[in-house]
Amino acid sequence: MSFYLQNIKLTNFKNYSFIDLVLNTKFNAFVGLNGQGKTNLLDAIYYLSMVKSNFSAADRDVTRFGESFFRIEGNYQAEDKTMHKVAIKVQPSSLKEIEFDRKKYKKRSEHIGKIPIVIVTPDDLVELLATSECRRKFLDTSLVQYDREYLSQLMIYNRLLKQRNALLKQMGENSTWNEMLVKVLDDKMQAAAMLIYARRKEEAEQLTPVFEEIYATLSAEAESCKIEYKSELEHTAFDELMLNAREKDRILRRTTSGIHKDDIGFSLNGKKLSKFGSQGQLKSFVFALKLAQYHFLRSKKNVKPILLLDDIFDKLDDNRVESLIKIISEEAYGQIFITNTSKDLIQNIFESLNLNHSIFHLNDGAIVA
């Protein structure tokens, strides 16, 4: 069942002391100069779904300067016309309450996936091309929103990995080695690792045809592209992998093999994307990847995720911009939020395509006429 955010209310969130917005069920554009709070609004919508900021690791960095708490409220209408409320109150380092229809969750993870969401940001271009950690996060962000078992096993694996690294570091500092303790942790990690590997591989395979189709549309079929999931488990069993790396782990005092080293390879016209793609090609590639993620989530949950697009038009030519907007205006897409510095550009696109929309002009955390 798809959800549409009807209004959002923020208190002490980033640069907002208070704001209450009534929103459009299709296109919403937040416009204004840089630094006025456009991206912060997108982040608040993301927080309502994922119970964390997309941009800040710590909640204290989300709380308005000088304040001790923040609160986000969102009222959603489902496709069956029922109304639902999400309320999140956070006092950094002491309290984090998440309510759905006035019922508090016992665990934050219980809410993730309730209202699926996909976000595209300028940082994606750099991060997805630069670090394998961000490429793994891309896969994980989809999977945790529909697969409870995956989320549980990912948390287990990460906890055990942290324990293993701490053990390796401690033994290295003390010039000791306990083979049995290391093997016990390896054995505990194996089941989680194998499930994570299988689900990530399945996702990459299912993303590929949709991704290729969307990229072909954005590039007018002028270029061919490919994504390829890479894992050490493709050719080696987990227990053997960890055993083979044990001496290296002992020397380096950290875990050097496992599913936390998985990656995705990107190529364009048979060449490595990061080395040979233009800015327009790179951005189209990331858009296509994120929209493929959208369709993956939609097919798995049978709902239309909320789509957040932050500053998407920079370094795109007019043809690619028009192609992108036409794609996301289709019936397959639900509610969409866009930020941009130019109100005229956004308005002209919406009006030329006759799209249902609302535009909000922001200035220093407030709506202006």
Side-chain angles (χ1 to χ4, degrees):
M1 177 164 47
S2 300
F3 291 91
Y4 298 87
L5 184 58
Q6 286 205 325
N7 81 287
I8 186 170
K9 185 185 297 185
L10 307 181
T11 304
N12 296 335
F13 185 85
K14 294 193 173 182
N15 70 322
Y16 291 95
S17 57
F18 180 81
I19 194 169
D20 188 354
L21 288 183
V22 177
L23 302 163
N24 193 292
T25 57
K26 186 59 179 179
F27 280 96
N28 295 270
F30 304 133
V31 301
L33 299 176
N34 291 329
Q36 303 308 306
K38 305 185 299 297
T39 299
N40 293 345
L41 268 177
L42 291 194
D43 201 25
I45 297 168
Y46 184 87
Y47 205 114
L48 283 170
S49 287
M50 299 299 289
V51 202
K52 65 177 183 179
S53 166
N54 183 67
F55 302 97
S56 304
D59 283 329
R60 63 178 176 271
D61 297 327
V62 174
T63 310
R64 182 175 169 85
F65 182 74
E67 302 293 342
S68 61
F69 78 98
F70 69 85
R71 182 179 176 88
I72 314 173
E73 296 179 27
N75 290 302
Y76 296 83
Q77 180 175 306
E79 285 181 312
D80 62 4
K81 305 302 181 183
T82 57
M83 297 299 299
H84 302 274
K85 182 177 181 177
V86 178
I88 300 175
K89 182 179 179 180
V90 178
Q91 293 174 313
S93 303
S94 62
L95 173 71
K96 193 166 193 171
E97 292 181 344
I98 304 105
E99 295 182 0
F100 186 82
D101 291 342
R102 301 187 184 279
K103 294 181 180 179
K104 291 181 182 178
Y105 291 105
K106 293 181 180 179
K107 297 179 180 179
R108 302 171 196 172
S109 59
E110 293 174 347
H111 181 66
I112 296 173
K114 178 79 76 173
I115 303 168
I117 198 162
V118 173
I119 186 169
V120 188
T121 76
D123 289 342
D124 292 331
L125 183 61
V126 176
E127 293 175 352
L128 282 170
L129 296 176
T131 70
S132 59
E133 180 181 0
C134 290
R135 292 188 286 273
R136 289 190 298 274
K137 180 183 175 183
F138 165 75
L139 294 175
D140 292 341
T141 300
S142 307
L143 289 162
V144 300
Q145 291 192 70
Y146 86 88
D147 191 331
R148 293 277 178 202
E149 186 180 18
Y150 183 88
L151 176 58
S152 173
Q153 294 301 308
L154 183 64
M155 293 170 68
I156 289 171
Y157 183 90
N158 287 337
R159 184 179 70 249
L160 291 170
L161 177 64
K162 186 176 181 180
Q163 291 176 8
R164 193 179 192 273
N165 284 335
L167 177 63
L168 291 170
K169 182 179 179 181
Q170 181 185 53
M171 289 190 299
E173 290 173 346
N174 296 333
S175 299
T176 61
W177 180 254
N178 190 321
E179 181 79 11
M180 183 177 294
L181 277 180
V182 175
K183 187 178 186 307
V184 166
L185 286 173
D186 290 354
D187 291 344
K188 288 182 178 180
M189 294 169 74
Q190 183 165 357
M194 295 308 297
L195 182 138
I196 292 165
Y197 163 69
R199 301 288 167 82
R200 283 177 176 172
K201 183 177 180 181
E202 178 186 39
E203 179 187 0
E205 290 173 349
Q206 294 180 9
L207 282 172
T208 297
V210 182
F211 162 74
E212 290 176 349
E213 180 180 348
I214 293 172
Y215 188 86
T217 301
L218 287 174
S219 63
E221 300 185 358
E223 301 134 6
S224 62
C225 56
K226 184 179 180 181
I227 59 175
E228 181 183 5
Y229 177 67
K230 300 178 179 180
S231 174
E232 295 173 307
L233 292 180
E234 189 72 32
H235 305 290
T236 309
F238 182 80
D239 55 351
E240 182 182 351
L241 186 71
M242 301 303 281
L243 179 61
N244 293 342
R246 203 159 288 167
E247 180 61 19
K248 183 178 180 181
D249 293 351
R250 185 187 67 79
I251 295 170
L252 296 179
R253 304 181 185 182
R254 57 182 170 83
T255 306
T256 60
S257 289
I259 55 92
H260 59 288
K261 297 294 184 179
D262 289 0
D263 202 354
I264 314 174
F266 298 147
S267 62
L268 186 69
N269 296 328
K271 298 179 180 179
K272 192 173 181 179
L273 178 69
S274 58
K275 290 186 177 180
F276 296 98
S278 67
Q279 280 294 309
Q281 288 172 326
L282 294 174
K283 205 155 192 179
S284 293
F285 195 101
V286 171
F287 287 155
L289 198 60
K290 288 283 189 163
L291 295 186
Q293 181 185 47
Y294 180 98
H295 284 278
F296 176 80
L297 264 177
R298 181 173 178 265
S299 67
K300 291 295 184 181
K301 295 186 68 71
N302 197 28
V303 302
K304 298 175 182 177
I306 291 173
L307 181 61
L308 311 178
L309 303 174
D310 186 26
D311 192 21
I312 64 171
F313 298 133
D314 185 40
K315 295 184 176 66
L316 281 184
D317 59 49
D318 292 345
N319 290 332
R320 290 182 194 261
V321 170
E322 185 176 352
S323 296
L324 175 62
I325 297 298
K326 282 182 178 179
I327 289 172
I328 62 177
S329 65
E330 294 172 355
E331 181 61 28
Y333 293 86
Q335 193 175 26
I336 298 165
F337 295 85
I338 297 174
T339 68
N340 198 261
T341 55
S342 173
K343 180 179 179 180
D344 291 339
L345 173 63
I346 292 289
Q347 191 161 336
N348 289 339
I349 292 173
F350 286 157
E351 290 178 355
S352 66
L353 296 174
N354 195 29
L355 299 176
N356 180 23
H357 69 277
S358 295
I359 297 177
F360 303 90
H361 190 188
L362 297 170
N363 183 42
D364 196 21
I367 302 295
V368 296

